[in-house]
Amino acid sequence: MSKSKKTLHKRIKICGLTRPEDIAAVNEYRPDYIGFVFAPSKRNVSEMRAAGLKKLLSPDITAVGVFVNSPIDDIVRLVSRGIIGAVQLHGDMEGFETVQYAEDLKKALAAARPAASVPLIRAVRVKDGDDIRRAVSYPAEYLLFDTFVKDQYGGSGVRFDWSLIPHIEKPWFLAGGLSASTIKEALNTEACCLDLSSAVETDGRKDPKKIQEIIQTVRSV
Ligand SMILES: O=C(O)c1ccccc1NCC(=O)[C@H](O)[C@H](O)COP(=O)(O)O
């Protein structure tokens, strides 16, 4: 593992924002990305809610739409309306979010927004190293490694064994149970971005103090 890659500036994504108060917190503490979850989840936001939240969001923070097996048209509409600027695919690579699906989505996004570059982030729910190796050739700009939890697509707050991640050329996000107690260790991985949700919540709501602490830790390195 190259030292320079490990010590590169890490980006931060705070996922699962649902309220204007959450947007006020990220506008103040400034992660690189925030996530709106359009999949079934306790953090789900409707298109209308996300549109309202996006209007409040600082324009230099990229809003990522998180999807699980969604129709391409729904994703393209959110991008066309300027509600999201990146697409995180968290569903099933076999059966729904296939390679063909990603290629069709890319074509549809390019047709709808020719001037915009809308990166795809391929989420991989890691059970073992094979899950990672299978995902490397998926047509996405980034990979995102999260924990496999049965019957839960994401936002579990559970960590996986990071030693399963080999050196890969494609940039990748690290997710799954990242918290104040693991963030320094995560800074020592080759991830380009650290993605948090559960650990920056209190009683199921985003907690500005926890967001501030995590972002300060990451930025102080
Ligand atoms: O957050 C959710 O509820 C969710 C539901 C369905 C698919 C994806 C979901 N979240 C995706 C994320 O990017 C989370 O930040 C990531 O899974 C990490 O969450 P956590 O382990 O809670 O930090």
Side-chain angles (χ1 to χ4, degrees):
M1 189 182 293
S2 86
K3 188 168 191 303
S4 56
K5 209 159 184 198
K6 276 206 281 183
T7 51
L8 275 177
H9 162 77
K10 296 265 191 277
R11 284 173 261 162
I12 311 168
K13 171 168 168 266
I14 303 291
C15 200
L17 306 193
T18 57
R19 305 172 303 158
E21 301 92 294
D22 303 342
I23 302 293
V26 293
N27 285 346
E28 184 162 1
Y29 303 119
R30 315 201 76 74
D32 301 275
Y33 305 95
I34 60 99
F36 292 136
V37 177
F38 294 100
S41 162
K42 59 188 175 190
R43 306 181 179 99
N44 171 272
V45 284
S46 65
E47 180 168 339
M48 194 194 290
R49 189 161 188 87
L53 294 173
K54 176 64 173 68
K55 284 200 183 106
L56 304 173
L57 183 69
S58 174
D60 52 358
I61 300 173
T62 301
V64 179
V66 177
F67 301 92
V68 171
N69 302 336
S70 285
I72 286 175
D73 287 353
D74 291 358
I75 301 176
V76 171
R77 192 176 59 251
L78 286 155
V79 171
S80 298
R81 291 186 61 195
I83 298 170
I84 56 171
V87 174
Q88 181 173 324
L89 299 174
H90 230 98
D92 302 308
M93 273 189 282
E94 279 157 31
F96 200 99
E97 293 173 3
T98 59
V99 167
Q100 186 63 53
Y101 170 94
E103 283 167 356
D104 292 347
L105 174 59
K106 276 172 172 287
K107 273 189 212 132
L109 289 171
R113 295 288 305 270
S117 108
V118 182
L120 292 195
I121 305 167
R122 174 67 257 168
V124 183
R125 297 157 67 220
V126 178
K127 248 191 316 224
D128 56 42
D130 285 344
D131 296 319
I132 297 174
R133 279 184 283 280
R134 271 194 295 269
V136 168
S137 59
Y138 193 87
E141 281 67 30
Y142 299 93
L143 296 173
L144 180 151
F145 301 125
D146 198 352
T147 309
F148 177 85
V149 175
K150 194 171 178 296
D151 299 328
Q152 211 173 326
Y153 280 101
S156 65
V158 178
R159 181 185 165 166
F160 67 98
D161 176 5
W162 302 342
S163 72
L164 292 171
I165 308 172
H167 171 75
I168 41 185
E169 288 307 318
K170 191 171 272 195
W172 50 274
F173 289 41
L174 183 62
L178 294 183
S179 67
S181 59
T182 57
I183 202 79
K184 289 205 172 125
E185 199 186 331
L187 283 166
N188 211 29
T189 68
E190 291 192 357
C192 69
C193 182
L194 305 178
D195 180 354
L196 294 98
S197 188
S198 304
V200 290
E201 292 175 344
T202 298
D203 298 331
R205 302 280 164 95
K206 290 292 176 285
D207 181 329
K209 192 97 200 91
K210 291 180 178 174
I211 292 174
Q212 178 187 22
E213 278 167 11
I214 285 284
I215 293 179
Q216 272 176 356
T217 304
V218 174
R219 296 273 155 80
S220 65
V221 174

